[in-house]
Amino acid sequence: MPPAPDTRSPTVTLRRVTDADRELLTAVYRSTRLAELDLVPWDEATRTAFVTQQFEAQDRAWSEQRPDAVRDVVLVDGVAAGRLYVDRAADEIRVVDITLLPEHRGRGVGQALLKPILAEGDRVGLPVTIHVERHNPALRLYARLGFEVVDDLGVYLFLSRPARQANTAS
């Protein structure tokens, strides 16, 4: 008889990004570009060079635009599974990026990462915001968590989840 499938919730933790994580972070970025890469007749060396150049440009831009963002590696059951970058500003908590490797998507990891951020937004009275590609399957998760589209930027949607006040009625 085959073993029963593992239905337990994964243990999700974070650790700060270090310089040693460049290869991992490039692989996480590459996982977001797989459909596009499948459309071009490039050899693997060309694909790798393109992805590396694009990742470096994105990383540089985010470092300049959001220098105070906390950059974490997402660990699922102790295994590196993605990245979570969050910038806490005076007027919002911005999820700059939340990306999981394909094998970790659809398992509740994104929700486990976002719920504490939403609770923090509620606690400090700030909205939580994120830019999301229009066709990202995670839009369903964001909608379930209370995010709403506040701006249509073409390829991207800008979402916000307003802070919710704790129920003080007894």
Side-chain angles (χ1 to χ4, degrees), residues 10-169:
T11 301
V12 180
T13 55
L14 300 171
R15 70 163 172 77
R16 292 291 185 265
V17 167
T18 69
D19 289 340
D21 292 315
R22 297 306 279 182
E23 187 175 326
L24 166 69
L25 296 174
T26 303
V28 169
Y29 175 79
R30 182 185 183 121
S31 77
T32 69
R33 304 298 296 265
L34 293 176
E36 294 168 82
L37 291 172
D38 285 345
L39 298 175
V40 293
W42 296 341
D43 62 24
E44 186 54 35
T46 304
R47 288 172 188 245
T48 298
F50 173 78
V51 166
T52 300
Q53 182 272 331
Q54 292 290 297
F55 166 74
E56 294 294 337
Q58 180 188 69
D59 193 60
R60 221 177 4 264
W62 284 348
S63 293
E64 292 168 5
Q65 295 166 6
R66 301 280 180 170
D68 297 326
V70 174
R71 296 167 171 244
D72 287 316
V73 170
V74 176
L75 303 170
V76 175
D77 296 329
V79 175
R83 64 185 184 183
L84 175 66
Y85 299 172
V86 179
D87 188 35
R88 291 160 176 88
D91 59 345
E92 69 177 351
I93 299 174
R94 172 71 58 91
V95 178
V96 177
D97 185 68
I98 179 171
T99 304
L100 300 171
L101 291 167
E103 61 269 27
H104 298 285
R105 296 175 191 158
R107 299 179 49 212
V109 176
Q111 181 169 304
L113 293 167
L114 290 168
K115 279 192 167 184
I117 297 168
L118 296 173
E120 178 185 350
D122 292 344
R123 199 171 46 255
V124 298
L126 293 176
V128 177
T129 61
I130 187 170
H131 283 97
V132 182
E133 287 185 349
R134 173 179 300 285
H135 301 292
N136 187 327
L139 281 169
R140 291 185 303 273
L141 168 64
Y142 299 131
R144 280 196 316 269
L145 293 175
F147 284 89
E148 298 175 355
V149 176
V150 293
D151 201 1
D152 185 332
L153 305 167
V155 174
Y156 292 94
L157 300 172
F158 183 60
L159 309 180
S160 181
R161 196 286 214 153
R164 297 180 178 161
Q165 302 204 344
N167 185 355
T168 57

